[in-house]
């Protein structure tokens, strides 16, 4: 990579760290950048996942106040995320690279749809929570555990917009303040990335220069997202995510 390309990867890491903390679609920023600079898709995905772990830690720390009193919920749902993330990472490494190249455009398009419908999903979640006064299983019950496990498989395999999926699931099944649920979402996404990173580090082809650039950038972005991200115009943010996601789809289909 040239110095300008490295600077672009670093900047993408900052953006991804912030977006992951707020929305959960940062991979749709970094992944297309890495593809544009010639990294093979699987290597780009693996290196990106490892690089975003420090940013996940940064974002989770930024939401530490919202996490107070949620230890039992984090232990329960975190177990589902760890199991799902491990499964997804193993699938990524055992399926052929051609399968990843064929599957990921579909996953990206699905992630973009999630990003675009997120405001409507948020309104529906709020309406459902306001109208539902009946008892609910503690921490969402078995259905939420299985759903978080499935989200973890997706996150371990690719993971773009995993955060949007998680916040939607948490909002439907858990009666809790949305910002506290966002803190839980950040921890669950971090656990999926972290367990995937452990698997990838041991057996996958990793570009450590890319990892370092994204890691440093995502730490900065995680703090920005936690402190200032709520001031960003959400429609602008979603627009950027959709554009870079479509670029990734085109890049994968034409490579």
């Amino acid at each position: 990579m040239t110095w300008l390309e490295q600077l672009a990867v670093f900047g993408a890491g900052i953006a991804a760290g912030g977006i992951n903390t707020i929305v959960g679609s940062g991979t749709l920023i970094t992944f297309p950048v890495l593809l544009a600079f010639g990294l093979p898709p699987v290597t780009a995905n693996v290196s990106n996942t490892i690089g975003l772990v420090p940013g996940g830690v940064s974002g989770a720390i930024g939401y530490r106040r919202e996490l107070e009193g949620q230890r039992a919920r984090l232990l329960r749902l975190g177990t589902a995320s760890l199991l799902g993330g491990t499964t997804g990472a193993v699938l990524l490494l055992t399926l052929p690279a051609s399968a990843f190249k064929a599957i990921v455009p579909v996953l990206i398009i699905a992630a973009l749809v999630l990003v675009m419908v997120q405001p409507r999903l948020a309104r529906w979640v709020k309406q459902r929570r306001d109208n539902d006064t009946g008892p609910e299983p503690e921490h969402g019950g078995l259905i939420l555990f299985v759903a978080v496990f499935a989200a973890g498989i997706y996150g371990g395999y690719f993971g773009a917009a995993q955060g949007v999926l998680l916040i939607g699931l948490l909002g439907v099944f858990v009666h809790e303040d949305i910002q506290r649920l966002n803190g839980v979402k950040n921890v669950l996404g971090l656990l999926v990335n972290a367990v995937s990173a452990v698997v990838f580090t041991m057996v996958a082809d990793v570009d450590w220069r890319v990892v370092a650039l994204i890691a440093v950038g995502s730490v900065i972005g995680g703090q920005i997202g936690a402190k200032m991200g709520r001031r960003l115009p959400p429609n602008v943010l979603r627009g950027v995510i959709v554009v870079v996601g479509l670029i990734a789809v085109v890049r994968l289909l034409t490579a």
Side-chain angles (χ1 to χ4, degrees):
M1 284 189 203
T2 67
W3 283 105
L4 285 177
E5 290 172 342
Q6 293 181 54
L7 183 62
V9 172
F10 175 70
I14 294 176
I19 290 170
N20 276 342
T21 303
I22 305 162
V23 182
S25 308
T27 293
L28 291 178
I29 298 293
T30 46
F31 187 68
V33 171
L34 298 180
L35 290 181
F37 295 153
L39 267 72
V42 174
T43 301
N45 186 48
V46 165
S47 304
N48 177 67
T49 297
I50 299 173
L52 287 176
V53 170
V57 174
S58 178
I61 292 173
Y63 268 81
R64 61 190 178 277
R65 292 188 186 92
E66 287 82 358
L67 292 172
E68 293 179 0
Q70 300 197 79
R71 178 182 176 86
R73 181 174 296 151
L74 290 171
L75 287 173
R76 177 182 177 84
L77 298 180
T79 300
S81 288
L82 287 172
L83 293 173
T86 303
T87 304
V90 170
L91 286 175
L92 176 66
L93 296 176
T94 54
L95 293 176
S98 58
F100 179 84
K101 188 175 178 180
I103 294 169
V104 165
V106 178
L107 295 180
I108 293 177
I109 291 172
L112 294 178
V113 172
L114 275 175
V115 171
M116 288 187 290
V117 303
Q118 192 270 338
R120 183 174 297 179
L121 176 63
R123 288 193 296 269
W124 180 79
V125 167
K126 184 179 184 301
Q127 183 180 18
R128 183 264 182 193
R129 290 166 60 199
D130 290 343
N131 295 336
D132 187 0
T133 58
E136 66 173 24
E138 187 177 12
H139 308 313
L142 180 61
I143 295 177
L144 181 59
F145 185 91
V146 173
V148 170
F149 170 73
I153 295 176
Y154 169 74
Y157 189 83
F158 182 56
Q162 177 191 192
V164 176
L165 179 59
L166 284 171
I167 197 67
L169 290 170
L170 290 168
V172 169
F173 290 102
V174 180
H175 284 176
E176 184 61 272
D177 176 77
I178 193 68
Q179 291 301 332
R180 284 172 60 79
L181 293 182
N182 200 41
V184 173
K185 176 267 291 180
N186 287 338
V187 173
L188 297 182
L190 167 62
L191 290 174
V192 170
N193 276 356
V195 72
S196 301
V198 171
V199 175
F200 295 155
T201 299
M202 292 188 295
V203 296
D205 182 18
V206 180
D207 188 320
W208 290 106
R209 179 172 51 178
V210 165
V211 169
L213 291 168
I214 292 178
V216 175
S218 66
V219 168
I220 297 171
Q223 289 300 302
I224 293 173
K227 294 179 180 179
M228 302 177 61
R230 297 183 186 93
R231 303 176 187 176
L232 294 175
N235 289 334
V236 173
L237 184 61
R238 274 188 287 273
V240 171
I241 292 171
V242 169
V243 169
V244 297
L246 291 174
I247 291 172
V249 172
V250 172
R251 179 69 177 83
L252 282 167
L253 293 177
T254 58

